[in-house]
Amino acid sequence: MVAKPVFLTTDILIFGLLLFIIAFFIYASRKPHMIQPWRQVVRNKAGVISIMVLSVYVCIALLDSMHFHPRLVNQENQSAEVRYSGDVLSMFDQIVSKLRASTEKTYSAPFAAQLYAKETMQLPDGTKQRVYPRLSWGAAHLDDPETQKTTDIIKLGLAGALKAFIAVTLCIALLCFYLSVKAKKSLRTTVRFMFSDESDVPWATVFITFAIILLMLFAGAEWASKYHVLGTDKIGEDVLYQALKSIRTGVVIGALATLLTLPLAITLGIMAGYFRGWVDDVIQYIYTTLNSIPGVLLIAAAVLTLHVYINNHEEDFSSLTQRADLRLLFLCLILGLTSWTGLCRLLRAETLKLREVDFVQAASAFGVGPTQTIFRHVLPNVMHIVLITLVLEFSGLVMAEAVLSYINIGVDPTMNSWGNMINSARLQMAREPVVWWSLAASLFFMFTLVLFANLFADVVRDALDPRLVKQ
C-alpha cells in the first residue's frame, strides 16, 4: 500500500453528514413539493454565488478529512518490510505538499524576497553588517529581486489568468453542448436561452462567479509556487497554508455542533408548544436553567476536564492528531449542547401559533393523533425557522471557535484554526514593525465563510418560509 488510511472520528462524522445530505436531495428530487423551494434557491443570484463559494470551502474541508500515514521508502532495501510514518497527513496536504514544505527561518511579508527583520551577517571582506537576509524558498529563483520581482509577479498572475480562461471556456463549451443535446436544440439556440431572462438558472452569474473562483485558484497557485503569497509566521510556516488548513476546523465545528442542536431543539421546542401544560413548564425550566449558566465557563470547565483526562491517558492516543481530533469533537459536543436553547424557544413560540391554526384544529377534530399532526402539519411549517437558524448558528459557531481559541479553551494548539492564528497574531501585532498578515488572512477567510453562509441562509429562508412563497 502507498499509504495507510487513518479514520478520525470527525472524518467519519463529516462524511456521514455528506452522505445524509446527498440522500436527502435524491429523495427530495422525487417529491415536487420538496424540490420546488430548492429550485427557487438556485434561481436566485445571491443563492447561486453563495452555493459556489461555500462549495469551495466544503471541498477543501473534505480533502483535508481524508487522512493517512505515508509510506516510508527504504532506498537501500526495496524488499524490506513496509513501514509507515507516524505523521498523519491528508489528501489536501499531498496536493499542497510544496506549500507545506516551503518554510523559512522566521517572519516574511507577503510576496517578500527577504526576511522581515534584519540580521547580522558577515560580508566577504570580513566586515559585519545588519541586512535583510534572502529567503531560502520565497523568490529564490530571482537573481535581483528588487528589479525582477514585480515583473515576475505580473507574469505569474497572467499565466494563472490564462489557465483560468482556458478552463472556464472549456467548461462553458462542454456545458452548453450537453444542454443542447439534452434539450435536442441547436447549440446557438441553447446559448441564447441560457443567457435570456426565460432561463430558470442565472447562467451569467454562474459563469462569472466560476471564472472569478478559478482565476483566484489558478493565479494563487502560480504565485504560491514561487512566493509566500500571505507571508510566513514566527516559525517560518506559510500563512496561506495555515489559513487553508483552518477551513476544515471551521467547517467541522460549524456543521457538527449545529447538527447536535437539532434533535433537542426540534423535539423539545415542538413538544412545549403543542402539548403546553406541565410539559411546557418542564421544558422551559430546563432551558432557562441552562441559559443561567455562563456558556464560556461551562465550555472552559468541560475542555479543562478533557485536558486532564488526555494527560492521564496518553497511552490511548497513538498520535497528536488523534488527541487533537478528540478535543475538536468534544468542543463540538459542548457547543452543541449549550446552543440549542435559542432554536427551542423559537420553535415553541411558532408551534403555539400553529396549534391554533384552522388546519391543525381540523386535524385534531377528525381524531388525528398528536404524533401524526406534528409530523404532517406542524414540523413542515417550522422547517424554515430550523434551516435559517441552522445556517445562522453555523456562522456563530465558526466565530465562537475563534473566540474560544483566543482565550486558549478552544481547539488543540497543534491544530490549525483561525482562532489559533488570531491568538498567535495577538503578540505579533505588538511588535515593531507590525506583523499584520496572519491576522488579516484568518479574518479574511473566516469573514468570507460567514458572509456567504448568512447570504445563503437569507435565500433559503425566502424559499422555504410558507408566508413568503409566491402563490
Side-chain angles (χ1 to χ4, degrees), residues 64 90 92-93 240-249 416:
D64 206 17
S90 67
F92 181 75
D93 290 325
L240 176 60
Y241 172 74
Q242 292 180 349
L244 292 174
K245 285 284 288 183
S246 301
I247 289 177
R248 177 185 181 270
T249 305
N416 292 106

Side-chain angles (χ1 to χ4, degrees), residues 246 401-403 405-406 411 417-424 442 446:
S246 301
E401 181 276 324
V403 175
S405 296
Y406 180 78
V411 299
S417 75
W418 295 316
N420 284 336
M421 290 181 65
I422 294 173
N423 187 29
S424 62
S442 57
M446 183 170 61

